[in-house]
Amino acid sequence: MGNASDTSAVFASTISKEHDILMGSLYGVFCVLSLVGNCILLLVGYHKRSTLKPAEFFIINLSISDLGMTLSLFPLAIPSAFEHRWLFGEITCQLYAMCGVLFGLCSLTNLTALSLVCCLKVCFPNHGNKFSSAHARLLVVGVWCYASVFAVGPLAQWGRYSAEPYGTACCIDWKAPNYELSALSYIVCLFLFCYALPCTVIFLSYTFILLTVRGSRQAVQQHVSPPQTRTTNAHSLIVKVRG
């Protein structure tokens, strides 16, 4: 009886009923917008599937991960918010948290891979031109595998999932490192490899792109007029990224 009472308390909302209703309403709006936007993008991608450029595979994959998060999280979070407590039990809580980490990290890792591909094509065209659709597909698979390692970790006792502090959803247990060494190592690795590293790669990639475009603009300005320079640079950048 004590355990059941403790579990019930963990999954009870710690914020006001009015705020839960507000959050549930916002979740509903976000859910509809995400469904409409991502379904349209996937439909467009399906119709032009035979002509997709390598970089566009990452846009499609990003839409898939966003749609996966929408379909796996919002249907559970919305009724829980309106009921002022988590409704679906401990096992579903673990799966909910795993889906949140999986699709969230997949989106971030996918953006990181996309920034690298754009940097390769713009800054190192000799190598970037060799990047094919097959390479893009392989990298997309790598993105999912990378995210899966950290999403499945807490289910394999590396880290821990638990109820959110506000009680109506579930996520990584950020307090577990206080009493579990494995949870501490998980949080450290998560910070290093799923936050610090991707953010650094994205920042450096787009910094190199900006520097390359700036250098290209200065070189072109010596031979053409300013209006032609802007048009040429914009067209060249679009062709390199999409190629």
Side-chain angles (χ1 to χ4, degrees):
M1 293 294 292
N3 291 337
S5 178
D6 292 342
T7 302
S8 179
V10 167
F11 291 130
S13 178
T14 59
I15 61 178
S16 68
K17 179 73 171 179
E18 292 76 16
H19 287 161
D20 271 333
I21 293 175
L22 175 61
M23 291 305 300
S25 301
L26 291 176
Y27 288 158
V29 173
F30 294 152
C31 181
V32 172
L33 292 177
S34 177
L35 283 173
V36 173
N38 286 300
C39 285
I40 290 175
L41 193 152
L42 290 176
L43 184 63
V44 172
Y46 175 77
H47 283 299
K48 59 171 298 187
R49 61 189 181 279
S50 60
T51 59
L52 285 176
K53 304 296 183 181
E56 292 174 333
F57 280 90
F58 298 99
I59 304 300
I60 299 299
N61 191 47
L62 183 63
S63 182
I64 291 173
S65 64
D66 287 346
L67 190 60
M69 181 173 288
T70 298
L71 294 175
S72 62
L73 302 191
F74 283 127
L76 302 179
I78 292 172
S80 294
F82 283 121
E83 287 297 321
H84 200 47
R85 63 176 296 102
W86 175 254
L87 298 174
F88 302 99
E90 177 66 28
I91 294 177
T92 308
C93 173
Q94 297 288 311
L95 296 176
Y96 176 99
M98 185 200 73
C99 288
V101 173
L102 174 64
F103 294 121
L105 290 183
C106 183
S107 294
L108 179 57
T109 309
N110 190 79
L111 290 173
T112 306
L114 179 59
S115 71
L116 279 172
V117 171
C118 291
C119 182
L120 186 67
K121 286 184 169 294
V122 175
C123 303
F124 309 97
N126 289 335
H127 298 286
N129 292 334
K130 298 177 182 178
F131 189 84
S132 66
S133 296
H135 294 134
R137 293 189 185 96
L138 186 61
L139 201 52
V140 164
V141 172
V143 164
W144 283 98
C145 292
Y146 189 88
S148 297
V149 170
F150 292 94
V152 175
L155 300 182
Q157 305 305 312
W158 183 42
R160 185 179 295 275
Y161 291 134
S162 69
E164 290 270 16
Y166 55 84
T168 57
C170 302
C171 71
I172 297 168
D173 187 349
W174 301 105
K175 296 181 180 179
N178 293 333
Y179 51 86
E180 287 185 8
L181 185 60
S182 64
L184 177 60
S185 68
Y186 176 77
I187 297 299
V188 170
C189 289
L190 192 71
F191 173 78
L192 292 176
F193 298 109
C194 299
Y195 178 74
L197 180 61
C199 289
T200 301
V201 170
I202 291 172
F203 175 78
L204 291 177
S205 295
Y206 288 112
T207 298
F208 288 144
I209 289 173
L210 290 175
L211 292 175
T212 301
V213 172
R214 181 181 178 183
S216 175
R217 179 181 180 183
Q218 291 174 346
V220 173
Q221 279 178 338
Q222 298 176 4
H223 305 285
V224 298
S225 61
Q228 290 176 311
T229 299
R230 288 191 293 269
T231 303
T232 301
N233 284 337
H235 178 71
S236 177
L237 181 60
I238 292 172
V239 169
K240 286 180 180 179
V241 171
R242 286 176 55 86

